[in-house]
């Protein structure tokens, strides 16, 4: 309903379906774009790509886009903040089927499905140094803190638990000495 309300225009149609289920009713497409999906389905990513590939017409393009080393590339944070972030991500891998390394797997999915003319591009999704913008501050504090609560991490490095971690993360991430980046990998290929 959000997409219909915000983006509706003539010739544009919105459909909702389970992308692990039968998608044949959607038809076949010249181009299928999959962005920031595979990182949330670590154990079923191969199955998901294979199912979405069925939507691509022969000669059509499947384009997979995801992050690599998601939330893990920081310099200048206190050691216990960085170690706790590592624990949080490990907990999300185990409990929420999250894949912080989804980007590096994109090529293999297309290769295994015999896609041709595979092309890759890597750029920065996050590249944060110096003064932190308000949008970056808000996004990262929400990203890390929401993920931290859902991860099952015990925050044992902090006597005050989660709240102490949240304060130290926010303070250290606002320090202009901090450097953070996340690679964005785009992998496209032509279906045989």
């Amino acid at each position: 309903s959000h997409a219909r309300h915000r983006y509706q225009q003539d010739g544009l149609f919105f459909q909702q379906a389970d992308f692990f289920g039968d998608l044949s009713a959607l038809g076949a497409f010249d181009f299928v774009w999959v962005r920031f999906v595979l990182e949330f389905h670590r154990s079923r990513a191969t199955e998901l790509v294979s199912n979405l590939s069925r939507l691509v017409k022969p000669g059509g393009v499947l384009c997979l886009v995801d992050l690599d080393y998601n939330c893990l590339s920081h310099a200048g944070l206190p050691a216990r903040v960085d170690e706790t972030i590592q624990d949080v991500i490990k907990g999300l891998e185990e409990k929420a089927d999250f894949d912080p390394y989804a980007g590096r797997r994109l090529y293999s999915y297309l290769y295994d499905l015999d896609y041709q003319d595979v092309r890759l591009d890597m750029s920065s999704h996050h590249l944060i140094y110096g003064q932190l913008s308000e949008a970056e501050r808000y996004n990262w504090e929400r990203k890390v803190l929401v993920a931290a609560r859902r991860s099952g991490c015990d925050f044992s490095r902090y006597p005050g638990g989660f709240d102490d971690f949240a304060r130290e993360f926010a303070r250290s991430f606002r320090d202009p000495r901090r450097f953070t980046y996340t690679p964005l990998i785009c992998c496209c290929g032509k279906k045989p």
Side-chain angles (χ1 to χ4, degrees), residues 127-144:
L127 183 59
I128 304 170
Y129 57 93
Q131 292 300 319
L132 191 62
S133 75
E134 181 58 26
E136 290 166 333
R137 182 204 61 77
Y138 177 82
N139 286 338
W140 272 87
E141 285 181 12
R142 295 289 71 76
K143 176 191 293 252
V144 170

Side-chain angles (χ1 to χ4, degrees), residues 8-150:
Q8 187 63 55
Q9 57 183 305
D10 290 340
L12 188 59
F13 303 96
F14 298 94
Q15 295 189 12
Q16 183 175 339
D18 175 0
F19 46 47
F20 289 108
D22 180 9
L23 300 173
S24 59
L26 297 175
F29 299 89
D30 295 318
F31 184 80
V32 173
W33 171 269
V34 183
R35 180 177 183 255
F36 298 166
V37 172
L38 300 173
E39 66 185 331
F40 297 104
H41 301 282
R42 181 176 52 93
S43 67
R44 297 181 72 188
T46 301
E47 174 190 354
L48 176 56
V49 172
S50 181
N51 200 33
L52 292 171
S53 178
R54 292 184 188 98
L55 294 171
V56 182
K57 293 178 183 177
V61 172
L62 177 58
C63 188
L64 307 175
V65 182
D66 228 309
L67 303 175
D68 200 59
Y69 217 58
N70 193 357
C71 295
L72 294 171
S73 300
H74 307 279
L77 298 181
R80 72 179 182 168
V81 169
D82 193 49
E83 291 163 0
T84 302
I85 290 171
Q86 304 287 328
D87 292 346
V88 164
I89 297 300
K90 185 69 175 163
L92 292 172
E93 286 180 84
E94 294 169 359
K95 295 180 181 358
D97 207 25
F98 180 69
D99 185 359
Y101 311 105
R104 67 185 64 179
R105 304 183 209 293
L106 303 180
Y107 173 75
S108 64
Y109 298 137
L110 296 185
Y111 181 89
D112 292 346
L113 290 169
D114 296 323
Y115 272 70
Q116 302 168 347
D117 302 326
V118 175
R119 303 185 133 224
L120 280 104
D121 181 64
M122 185 169 63
S123 59
S124 61
H125 180 65
H126 300 113
L127 183 59
I128 304 170
Y129 57 93
Q131 292 300 319
L132 191 62
S133 75
E134 181 58 26
E136 290 166 333
R137 182 204 61 77
Y138 177 82
N139 286 338
W140 272 87
E141 285 181 12
R142 295 289 71 76
K143 176 191 293 252
V144 170
L145 301 180
V146 168
R149 285 192 186 274
R150 294 181 179 169

